[in-house]
Amino acid sequence: MGEALKGLKRTVMCGDLRESNIGNTVTAMGWVQKKRNLGGLVFVDLRDRTGLLQVVFGEEINSDAFTKADTVKSEYCIAVTGKIVKREAPNENMPTGMVELLGENIKILSESETPPIYIKENLDAGENIRLKYRYLDLRRPDMQSIFKIRHKAAKIIRDFLDEKEFLEVETPMLTKSTPEGARDYLVPSRNFNGKFYALPQSPQLFKQLLMVSGFDKYFQIVKCFRDEDLRANRQPEFTQVDMELSFVEENDIIALNEELLTRVFKEVAGVEIKTPIERMPYKIAMEKYGSDKPDLRFGMEISDLSEVVKDTEFKVFKDALENGGSVRAIKAEGCGAMGRKQIDKLGEFVKTFKAKGLAWIAVKENEIKSPIAKFLTEEQLKAIIAAVGAKTNDLVLIVADKNSVVFQALGELRLHLAKELELLKDNKEFRFVWITEFPLLSYNEEENRFQAEHHPFTMPMDEDIEYLESDPGRVRAKAYDIVLNGEELGGGSIRIHETDLQEKMFKVLGFTKESAWERFGFLLEAFKYGPPPHGGLAYGFDRMIMFLAGTENIKDVIAFPKNQNAACVMTEAPNVVDEKQLQELGISIAKEEK
Amino acid sequence: MGEALKGLKRTVMCGDLRESNIGNTVTAMGWVQKKRNLGGLVFVDLRDRTGLLQVVFGEEINSDAFTKADTVKSEYCIAVTGKIVKREAPNENMPTGMVELLGENIKILSESETPPIYIKENLDAGENIRLKYRYLDLRRPDMQSIFKIRHKAAKIIRDFLDEKEFLEVETPMLTKSTPEGARDYLVPSRNFNGKFYALPQSPQLFKQLLMVSGFDKYFQIVKCFRDEDLRANRQPEFTQVDMELSFVEENDIIALNEELLTRVFKEVAGVEIKTPIERMPYKIAMEKYGSDKPDLRFGMEISDLSEVVKDTEFKVFKDALENGGSVRAIKAEGCGAMGRKQIDKLGEFVKTFKAKGLAWIAVKENEIKSPIAKFLTEEQLKAIIAAVGAKTNDLVLIVADKNSVVFQALGELRLHLAKELELLKDNKEFRFVWITEFPLLSYNEEENRFQAEHHPFTMPMDEDIEYLESDPGRVRAKAYDIVLNGEELGGGSIRIHETDLQEKMFKVLGFTKESAWERFGFLLEAFKYGPPPHGGLAYGFDRMIMFLAGTENIKDVIAFPKNQNAACVMTEAPNVVDEKQLQELGISIAKEEK
């Protein structure tokens, strides 16, 4: 059993000590990073949240302390009192490297077995063991610094929004299951057996109701939940920075958030954001980058060849055009000499996005090489090369299909090539772009109906609103996403705030009037009482921290994350519960564990 | 359909306008509190989050605006542009009462049906209708001011803890069901059918693990969940201000929190807290006030008569004493003339707390009146009166039983009498007290075992630790509650941080070694790796806001609260879900709705 503090107080943090502290008698507490017994002196690198401090114990400093210090091992938790002195052999690599602590007294607060993972930066250990011993993984300085960043970012956001007179209002966690969206986590009710709460996917409806209540400017940093199969960088519970404002239009929300982003990225990561941030309509983003979250740190834009090849008899192109699709291409600079096998691999790659194949044209010094050359006139070939601006030693990569396939295939191919060609190596840029004018609806071919692209509460653009029932697919929304380096950082919209229009929207989505009222009656009812025009935005806070901390793994920015199966390896949640608990909830287990 | 903003910007908030704004052309937006057409002028009281502003429309100001303004009704949402002028008939009761806005332009942003509740302060409406139309209830200025207070309190707490170098770290909402405590809300797992997550009752274990991780100072303002039958002022989801610190002892935590409380109560409510706050051991609190959350705003302390009546033959007293109980009394000042019926009612009252009865002695000018006088000697009677310090016209109320019954009965009687006698009428005091030296364990007579008084992770006091196994009931804990005006505002403890002691604690609580490891293995394992001494505290944030806002109803401080059945009247949560959802979760409904 370790020694108790019994009134002993820590007076300093290890990482703070400098030459100005020489002569001070201090008490530091922390963990043994390393212990060496060298020539009758015991050296301990003592670690706390702020950094490392060298502590020296010796017979001549204090004999009892020396003897006790010699028994400590890595990760023992200790308290040391003594004088700060100048270090004879300074360590320039350590912020505290000019000084050391002469250990006159030591308490062993607790001992440690040999930890199953090293407590050091840049640990190369399996994810599973890191998650199982998360409390040790979090002891590592690089993990701790991420949570300092996370704390700081949340603080800056709160301070900023407070200055702007937003009120943080908490919305319920136990709420109603709503369709349209991802799968809900359900919570069985004990008072009403057979009924369930749902954990919120976002506070969307509540924040809109707060606008109806006249709260004017709301925000919340809040947990949200989605019971989806976990792709990389998704977690079942995640954190949103959520906001909503009344009496505003798109530009107001965008301007406010540019100010917010500028402050956060500057103060946390020293990144200067140039404002106003570029805006790009969805249509342009798709046409140029094949994505509604384009990575603008590199070019390789998509070119439309449809006009150039409109008279071709080449069946692949012709079919695509006749079916209302298109023929488009990207240019891989300097890849003209790429081998057949490599190009075939790119062909396989685009097939995973439903493209039927990848046509290519390699521009060589004195010739043009292409398996489709025989189907095209020389004029067409030249026109293609001109259209994409290919020069000697470039490779033109072409997909012909319906637009959705062409965009996705070339968009993904563009990103894939950028990675292969290491176009972003050492790129430190933070390239923001607002994507605007999203389609309000997208057609779900499986379910044979329109679904909300954003969510069913998004306001159509004024100039398109007349087509909402006659031609829903052409209606654009007052929606905007903020995209950073090809990732969606956040998104929002102006909302519908009138019962009639909201009902019309539900109708387009396939709701009957009854089913819309059954599910969203409280919102439709609320809009009868002078709702203000309003809109908002939500950021994925975890993703924001990933950018600020420079990690690509969402698990790194969440203290106790779940694994790919939505399980916590450390606590072993989810887990079995007592039969009595289920009885009280009036539920039973219908099938065995998968 | 209402008019769109189309670029119109709000330039002022209603409540901000003063004489210094005279001559400004402004645009205000908000709701129609009241409209009158008086002698060819339309007067609108326009309301936003900040207050009311009088707007005047007239033929001579702007004819179109006048005509349109005359069509508005209460709770229409409008935007008005015009000039601020001096008001001819100032209204001293309104902060903006010196000025008015001449309406040159008005947009009706949305119309309103007649609201089902009045939008006004001190609304006297049924709770159910207020909850159903919560978005309108929240429009009322007194409700809005509560959420301003709530926002401000959270901000001050975060700023304070940030200054003190705490890190806010988010802990999981989807976690493992643990026993010892209230009933968990469960969340069925889709990936592991038959297994469940639990929503956290508190982040207790996670914050302790963060201490093991060396985070040093953690806090979080976080939702917690308890599936209990809802007594008044309980909600199924509630908010905690949760903190944990390493390398500290009780006094450090108490001192820090006195600083925190002082700041919050001062800055939010203008209340000066005198520090250091009084501390009172649990034993004294029980003996003097019959409660571990004594209301110290009034006296009426309990006196122990056991010694005074130790030789009595009066069976009620004698039995109590012989069975290890006691005879105790409170003095109701000035109640010596209380009628028999009223005293009988007090007797009924104490019986609800298991007391067998209530003996009494009324001290009159020239006599002593008491139904038990005949069982006592005159000397004993006098000694009792002296012991409680009763004077002429006082009433002595006596309970004899085992101590737990005596304390509760007299403690509750004390509070009851204070209310009856209006002792706290117009009392504005904020009387804080720390209750310390709690028993570590209490004996659960139904389950015939000891249970943790605080929670199973609480450290025993050093001087009592040796009795943990031999005499668990006498062990006191390093635990402390902060009590304000008879309500528990928060509580905490120093925690056990060593595997051996924690295992011993589980054993005393009736766990086998296996069952303890099965449930808390991750904590026991974590303590093997140099855990620091640590402790913490958590506040009930909702209750804190109730004090700061001066409301006695917890529903007033939660934007969208649940009713007594844990249901949301507005959204109708909980509700039925699709069979498909249940199938995916592998659960079925075992019994019909109660």
Side-chain angles (χ1 to χ4, degrees):
Chain A
M1 193 153 153
E3 296 173 83
L5 291 172
K6 299 218 166 160
L8 184 67
K9 303 237 185 251
R10 177 171 62 180
T11 63
V12 290
M13 297 299 283
C14 293
D16 293 344
L17 294 164
R18 295 290 181 276
E19 282 183 284
S20 60
N21 300 102
I22 288 171
N24 298 356
T25 293
V26 303
T27 298
M29 303 188 187
W31 287 266
V32 175
Q33 179 71 32
K34 200 163 67 177
K35 186 205 78 178
R36 294 144 297 166
N37 185 330
L38 297 175
L41 289 175
V42 167
F43 291 88
V44 167
D45 284 352
L46 186 65
R47 186 192 69 240
D48 67 18
R49 199 177 83 178
T50 61
L52 290 171
L53 174 67
Q54 175 160 296
V55 188
V56 190
F57 297 90
E59 281 285 2
E60 314 227 324
I61 302 165
N62 182 299
S63 173
D64 289 348
F66 168 75
T67 308
K68 204 195 278 186
D70 203 21
T71 68
V72 307
K73 295 179 189 156
S74 285
E75 300 309 319
Y76 273 39
C77 184
I78 63 175
V80 183
T81 303
K83 199 171 274 183
I84 297 294
V85 297
K86 194 172 165 64
R87 192 156 155 181
E88 278 180 32
N91 180 344
E92 304 270 341
N93 298 320
M94 249 169 109
T96 64
M98 300 303 288
V99 299
E100 61 190 7
L101 170 56
L102 299 187
E104 290 159 26
N105 204 338
I106 173 173
K107 279 195 181 198
I108 297 177
L109 301 173
S110 67
E111 301 182 356
S112 177
E113 295 186 5
T114 304
I117 58 174
Y118 285 109
I119 311 301
K120 62 166 196 177
E121 305 216 359
N122 303 314
L123 176 70
D124 182 24
E127 181 166 280
N128 213 51
I129 196 164
R130 285 182 54 200
L131 291 178
K132 182 166 160 57
Y133 295 97
R134 186 62 166 181
Y135 41 86
L136 295 176
D137 193 37
L138 289 173
R139 223 180 246 184
R140 300 189 303 107
D142 42 1
M143 290 302 281
Q144 299 228 331
S145 80
I146 290 176
F147 291 92
K148 288 177 197 163
I149 286 171
R150 188 170 178 124
H151 166 82
K152 191 172 177 188
K155 183 75 172 60
I156 290 167
I157 290 169
R158 284 197 165 95
D159 288 350
F160 175 84
L161 293 171
D162 179 71
E163 278 171 34
K164 299 289 183 185
E165 302 196 308
F166 281 71
L167 293 180
E168 185 160 24
V169 180
E170 295 169 64
T171 53
M173 294 282 116
L174 294 171
T175 176
K176 186 177 174 179
S177 184
T178 57
E180 289 291 317
R183 197 183 286 112
D184 283 323
Y185 277 103
L186 298 181
V187 182
S189 160
R190 186 173 53 87
N191 286 321
F192 301 95
N193 284 168
K195 294 193 173 181
F196 295 80
Y197 305 95
L199 301 179
Q201 295 184 28
S202 87
Q204 183 62 34
L205 295 175
F206 292 107
K207 69 177 178 171
Q208 292 191 237
L209 291 173
L210 289 173
M211 294 303 102
V212 174
S213 299
F215 271 83
D216 213 289
K217 291 176 181 171
Y218 143 93
F219 86 102
Q220 195 180 185
I221 300 184
V222 62
K223 278 283 176 72
C224 300
F225 304 85
R226 283 181 199 171
D227 186 8
E228 293 297 339
D229 298 316
L230 299 184
R231 284 181 278 159
N233 286 334
R234 286 274 178 112
Q235 283 279 310
E237 54 178 297
F238 55 97
T239 303
Q240 274 190 2
V241 178
D242 191 45
M243 67 177 77
E244 195 80 5
L245 301 77
S246 291
F247 305 111
V248 292
E249 296 178 293
E250 297 98 304
N251 283 337
D252 303 304
I253 297 174
I254 285 178
L256 176 91
N257 278 282
E258 291 189 354
E259 203 180 332
L260 171 62
L261 287 169
T262 302
R263 172 135 11 141
V264 174
F265 276 77
K266 177 82 205 287
E267 292 190 13
V268 179
V271 173
E272 301 276 357
I273 301 178
K274 267 177 253 135
T275 55
I277 289 169
E278 178 178 358
R279 297 189 201 180
M280 186 182 288
Y282 171 88
K283 188 167 176 288
I284 304 295
M286 294 307 289
E287 287 177 359
K288 279 185 151 175
Y289 304 99
S291 169
D292 60 359
K293 39 182 188 176
D295 189 337
L296 302 186
R297 286 175 300 171
F298 63 98
M300 217 192 291
E301 293 173 10
I302 298 170
S303 304
D304 190 353
L305 306 179
S306 305
E307 186 59 31
V308 171
V309 301
K310 70 174 190 299
D311 299 322
T312 184
E313 289 304 313
F314 178 38
K315 193 171 165 5
V316 175
F317 288 4
K318 200 177 165 192
D319 283 359
L321 294 173
E322 280 176 359
N323 292 324
S326 58
V327 181
R328 296 175 200 256
I330 56 174
K331 171 186 68 173
E333 275 183 19
C335 295
M338 192 181 272
R340 189 63 181 251
K341 259 194 195 159
Q342 264 184 291
I343 297 179
D344 285 349
K345 265 194 193 163
L346 300 180
E348 291 306 314
F349 178 81
V350 298
K351 280 180 190 165
T352 60
F353 301 100
K354 294 189 189 158
K356 292 182 206 75
L358 184 68
W360 55 271
I361 300 168
V363 184
K364 308 267 180 179
E365 187 102 31
N366 296 312
E367 58 169 344
I368 283 167
K369 240 186 138 172
S370 171
I372 62 166
K374 54 181 177 280
F375 304 114
L376 300 169
T377 64
E378 203 179 317
E379 208 169 51
Q380 285 171 334
L381 265 180
K382 277 189 180 153
I384 290 174
I385 289 165
V388 300
K391 303 212 164 51
T392 301
N393 210 26
D394 289 350
L395 178 69
V396 182
L397 298 160
I398 309 169
V399 174
D401 213 312
K402 59 180 178 183
N403 281 330
S404 60
V405 171
V406 173
F407 289 145
Q408 197 189 4
L410 287 176
E412 293 288 347
L413 182 60
R414 176 178 173 270
L415 296 175
H416 180 72
L417 278 168
K419 208 177 284 176
E420 296 263 300
L421 303 174
E422 297 191 333
L423 295 187
L424 293 173
K425 207 184 161 194
D426 301 326
N427 185 314
K428 303 274 183 218
E429 200 181 349
F430 283 74
R431 186 67 180 271
F432 289 86
V433 57
W434 289 103
I435 306 301
T436 60
E437 299 181 29
F438 275 83
L440 181 68
L441 301 149
S442 61
Y443 198 72
N444 185 325
E445 296 188 357
E446 279 166 44
E447 297 184 18
N448 201 25
R449 65 177 188 98
F450 279 100
Q451 64 188 20
E453 178 78 15
H454 214 76
H455 55 55
F457 315 106
T458 304
M459 180 78 98
M461 282 175 63
D462 299 337
E463 45 272 62
D464 295 351
I465 206 162
E466 59 184 299
Y467 306 107
L468 184 56
E469 286 172 297
S470 59
D471 187 4
R474 73 174 279 183
V475 179
R476 290 164 301 162
K478 293 186 178 175
Y480 33 79
D481 276 359
I482 179 76
V483 170
L484 169 54
N485 294 354
E487 301 266 7
E488 184 195 328
L489 201 60
S493 63
I494 299 296
R495 328 298 184 183
I496 296 169
H497 67 274
E498 295 193 304
T499 313
D500 291 354
L501 183 58
Q502 187 64 66
E503 281 189 312
K504 208 177 277 180
M505 181 72 179
F506 284 131
K507 191 175 157 199
V508 173
L509 294 171
F511 284 86
T512 62
K513 183 156 179 167
E514 289 67 36
S515 65
W517 272 84
E518 198 179 296
R519 269 166 166 154
F520 302 108
F522 55 100
L523 184 73
L524 294 166
E525 179 72 20
F527 286 169
K528 290 183 181 172
Y529 307 102
H534 62 283
L537 185 141
Y539 294 101
F541 188 56
D542 306 296
R543 185 155 299 167
M544 188 185 285
I545 304 305
M546 287 164 67
F547 275 110
L548 293 169
T551 174
E552 294 186 352
N553 187 348
I554 196 172
K555 294 193 191 80
D556 285 346
V557 302
I558 293 176
F560 300 99
K562 303 287 192 293
N563 72 7
Q564 292 295 105
N565 295 319
C568 173
V569 179
M570 182 186 72
T571 58
E572 298 182 326
N575 217 312
V576 293
V577 298
D578 294 342
E579 185 55 33
K580 184 180 164 225
Q581 291 175 280
L582 300 183
Q583 275 171 16
E584 287 184 317
L585 298 173
I587 61 171
S588 59
I589 294 167
K591 49 181 179 183
E592 293 298 295
E593 185 178 333
K594 281 190 253 189
Chain B
M1 193 153 153
E3 296 173 82
L5 290 172
K6 299 220 166 160
L8 184 67
K9 303 236 186 252
R10 175 171 62 180
T11 62
V12 291
M13 298 299 283
C14 295
D16 292 345
L17 293 164
R18 295 291 181 276
E19 282 183 286
S20 60
N21 300 103
I22 288 171
N24 297 356
T25 293
V26 303
T27 298
M29 303 188 186
W31 287 265
V32 175
Q33 180 71 33
K34 198 163 68 179
K35 186 203 76 177
R36 292 145 297 165
N37 186 329
L38 297 176
L41 290 175
V42 167
F43 291 88
V44 168
D45 283 351
L46 186 65
R47 185 192 69 240
D48 67 17
R49 199 176 84 179
T50 61
L52 290 171
L53 173 66
Q54 175 161 296
V55 189
V56 190
F57 298 91
E59 281 286 0
E60 314 228 322
I61 301 165
N62 182 299
S63 173
D64 289 349
F66 168 74
T67 308
K68 204 195 279 186
D70 202 21
T71 70
V72 306
K73 296 178 189 157
S74 285
E75 299 310 317
Y76 273 40
C77 183
I78 64 174
V80 183
T81 303
K83 198 169 275 182
I84 296 294
V85 297
K86 195 170 165 63
R87 192 156 155 181
E88 279 179 33
N91 180 344
E92 304 271 342
N93 299 320
M94 251 170 106
T96 65
M98 301 303 288
V99 298
E100 61 190 4
L101 171 56
L102 299 186
E104 290 158 25
N105 205 337
I106 173 172
K107 280 195 179 195
I108 296 177
L109 302 173
S110 67
E111 301 181 356
S112 177
E113 295 185 5
T114 304
I117 58 174
Y118 285 109
I119 312 302
K120 63 165 197 177
E121 305 215 358
N122 303 315
L123 176 70
D124 181 24
E127 182 167 277
N128 213 51
I129 197 163
R130 285 181 56 198
L131 291 178
K132 181 167 161 57
Y133 296 97
R134 186 63 166 180
Y135 40 85
L136 295 177
D137 193 37
L138 289 173
R139 223 179 245 184
R140 299 189 302 108
D142 43 0
M143 289 303 280
Q144 298 227 333
S145 80
I146 289 176
F147 291 92
K148 288 177 198 163
I149 287 171
R150 189 171 177 122
H151 166 83
K152 190 171 177 189
K155 183 75 173 59
I156 290 167
I157 290 169
R158 283 198 166 94
D159 288 350
F160 175 84
L161 292 171
D162 178 72
E163 277 170 36
K164 298 289 184 186
E165 303 197 305
F166 281 71
L167 294 179
E168 186 161 22
V169 181
E170 294 169 65
T171 53
M173 294 281 116
L174 295 171
T175 178
K176 186 177 173 179
S177 183
T178 55
E180 289 291 317
R183 197 183 287 109
D184 284 321
Y185 276 104
L186 297 182
V187 182
S189 161
R190 187 173 52 85
N191 287 321
F192 302 95
N193 283 169
K195 293 191 172 182
F196 295 81
Y197 306 95
L199 300 179
Q201 295 183 27
S202 88
Q204 183 63 33
L205 294 175
F206 291 106
K207 68 176 178 173
Q208 290 192 240
L209 291 173
L210 288 173
M211 295 302 102
V212 174
S213 297
F215 271 83
D216 213 287
K217 290 177 183 170
Y218 144 95
F219 85 101
Q220 197 180 183
I221 301 184
V222 63
K223 279 281 176 74
C224 300
F225 304 85
R226 282 181 199 170
D227 187 8
E228 293 296 339
D229 298 317
L230 299 184
R231 283 182 277 158
N233 287 334
R234 285 275 177 111
Q235 283 279 309
E237 53 179 298
F238 55 97
T239 304
Q240 273 190 0
V241 177
D242 191 44
M243 68 177 74
E244 195 80 6
L245 300 78
S246 291
F247 304 112
V248 293
E249 296 178 293
E250 297 98 305
N251 283 338
D252 303 304
I253 297 174
I254 286 177
L256 176 92
N257 278 283
E258 291 189 353
E259 204 180 333
L260 171 63
L261 287 169
T262 302
R263 177 144 356 150
V264 173
F265 276 77
K266 177 83 204 287
E267 293 190 11
V268 179
V271 172
E272 300 277 359
I273 302 178
K274 265 177 256 136
T275 57
I277 290 169
E278 178 178 356
R279 297 189 201 180
M280 185 182 290
Y282 171 88
K283 187 165 177 288
I284 303 295
M286 294 307 288
E287 286 177 358
K288 280 185 150 175
Y289 304 98
S291 169
D292 59 359
K293 40 183 188 177
D295 189 337
L296 303 187
R297 289 174 297 170
F298 62 97
M300 216 193 291
E301 293 173 10
I302 299 170
S303 305
D304 190 353
L305 307 180
S306 305
E307 185 60 29
V308 171
V309 300
K310 72 175 192 295
D311 299 322
T312 184
E313 288 305 311
F314 178 38
K315 194 170 165 5
V316 175
F317 289 2
K318 198 178 167 191
D319 283 359
L321 293 174
E322 280 177 0
N323 291 323
S326 57
V327 180
R328 295 173 200 257
I330 56 175
K331 170 187 69 175
E333 275 183 18
C335 294
M338 192 181 272
R340 188 63 181 251
K341 261 194 194 158
Q342 262 183 293
I343 297 178
D344 284 349
K345 267 196 192 160
L346 299 180
E348 290 308 311
F349 178 81
V350 298
K351 281 181 189 164
T352 62
F353 303 100
K354 295 188 188 160
K356 292 182 206 76
L358 184 68
W360 55 271
I361 300 169
V363 185
K364 309 266 181 180
E365 186 102 29
N366 297 311
E367 59 169 343
I368 283 167
K369 239 185 143 173
S370 169
I372 61 167
K374 54 181 174 282
F375 304 114
L376 300 170
T377 64
E378 204 180 316
E379 205 170 53
Q380 285 169 334
L381 266 181
K382 278 190 180 153
I384 290 173
I385 290 166
V388 300
K391 303 211 163 52
T392 301
N393 210 25
D394 290 348
L395 178 68
V396 182
L397 298 161
I398 308 168
V399 174
D401 213 311
K402 59 181 178 181
N403 281 329
S404 61
V405 171
V406 173
F407 289 145
Q408 198 190 4
L410 287 177
E412 294 287 347
L413 182 61
R414 176 178 173 270
L415 296 175
H416 180 74
L417 277 170
K419 209 177 284 175
E420 297 264 300
L421 303 175
E422 298 192 333
L423 294 188
L424 292 173
K425 205 185 162 195
D426 302 323
N427 186 315
K428 303 273 182 219
E429 198 181 351
F430 284 73
R431 186 67 181 271
F432 289 86
V433 57
W434 289 103
I435 306 300
T436 60
E437 300 181 28
F438 276 84
L440 182 68
L441 303 149
S442 60
Y443 198 74
N444 184 325
E445 296 188 359
E446 280 165 44
E447 298 184 18
N448 202 23
R449 66 179 187 97
F450 279 101
Q451 65 189 18
E453 177 78 15
H454 214 76
H455 55 53
F457 315 106
T458 303
M459 180 77 98
M461 282 176 64
D462 299 337
E463 46 273 61
D464 294 351
I465 207 163
E466 61 184 299
Y467 305 108
L468 183 55
E469 287 173 298
S470 59
D471 187 4
R474 74 174 279 182
V475 179
R476 289 164 302 163
K478 293 186 178 177
Y480 34 79
D481 277 359
I482 179 76
V483 169
L484 169 54
N485 294 354
E487 300 267 6
E488 184 195 328
L489 202 60
S493 63
I494 299 297
R495 328 298 184 184
I496 296 169
H497 66 276
E498 294 193 306
T499 312
D500 291 354
L501 184 57
Q502 187 64 67
E503 281 189 313
K504 208 177 277 180
M505 182 70 179
F506 284 131
K507 192 174 155 200
V508 173
L509 294 170
F511 285 87
T512 62
K513 183 155 180 170
E514 289 68 36
S515 65
W517 272 84
E518 196 179 298
R519 273 170 163 151
F520 301 108
F522 55 101
L523 184 73
L524 294 166
E525 179 73 20
F527 286 168
K528 290 183 181 171
Y529 306 103
H534 61 283
L537 183 142
Y539 294 101
F541 188 56
D542 307 296
R543 184 155 301 167
M544 189 186 286
I545 304 305
M546 288 164 65
F547 275 110
L548 292 169
T551 173
E552 293 187 352
N553 185 348
I554 195 172
K555 294 192 190 80
D556 285 345
V557 303
I558 293 177
F560 299 99
K562 304 287 192 292
N563 71 8
Q564 293 294 103
N565 295 318
C568 173
V569 179
M570 182 186 72
T571 59
E572 297 181 329
N575 216 311
V576 293
V577 297
D578 294 342
E579 184 54 33
K580 185 180 163 223
Q581 292 175 278
L582 300 183
Q583 275 170 17
E584 288 183 317
L585 298 174
I587 60 171
S588 58
I589 294 168
K591 50 179 178 183
E592 293 299 296
E593 185 178 332
K594 281 190 251 188

